[in-house]
Amino acid sequence: FDAATAAGSSRAIRSALQCWEYCDDDMRAVRARLLLRNIENQRIHLLQAVEDLDGGKLRALVASWTFDPKDDVYTAACATLRRYEAATAELHSLIQSPTGLLGLAT
């Protein structure tokens, strides 16, 4: 149980809570439920930032992620952020190029 919360894996915590044999108000179970709620909230924020293509928010959320680095939502958000940053860099390069958008305007 302690290993599941230490890993910050929502799947492992959920599994451990399902197997928990002790009282629901045991402090370890309470902490695990709070941690699980925090992870799920962060996952929701990541999904929303990906959906909105909000690069600044996505960058901040990815940088502040302290949970399981193998989380599927987190890894998808990281991949989206890499694509977003590459596309943004390409667009800036195109805009500043003599044959790019600014070059065409002159």
Side-chain angles (χ1 to χ4, degrees):
F1 191 78
D2 293 332
T5 56
S9 167
S10 58
R11 286 185 192 135
I13 294 169
R14 216 176 278 112
S15 176
L17 283 170
Q18 288 174 347
C19 298
W20 194 245
E21 299 174 8
Y22 302 103
C23 184
D24 277 345
D25 62 352
D26 179 279
M27 284 311 295
R28 289 191 301 175
V30 170
R31 281 193 303 270
R33 281 193 293 278
L34 287 173
L35 178 58
L36 183 60
R37 188 173 306 133
N38 286 339
I39 293 169
E40 294 302 325
N41 285 337
Q42 283 294 92
R43 289 169 55 102
I44 290 167
H45 291 302
L46 280 171
L47 289 169
Q48 187 64 50
V50 166
E51 184 177 308
D52 294 345
L53 274 180
D54 184 339
K57 184 176 181 181
L58 186 56
R59 194 175 297 110
L61 288 168
V62 164
S64 67
W65 183 265
T66 59
F67 308 113
D68 181 9
K70 295 178 183 172
D71 182 276
D72 57 338
V73 170
Y74 172 73
T75 56
C78 289
T80 300
L81 180 58
R82 284 191 298 276
R83 288 190 305 273
Y84 174 84
E85 289 178 339
T88 301
E90 187 176 331
L91 180 60
H92 282 273
S93 177
L94 178 62
I95 289 171
Q96 295 175 351
S97 167
T99 59
L101 296 177
L102 290 180
L104 295 175
T106 58

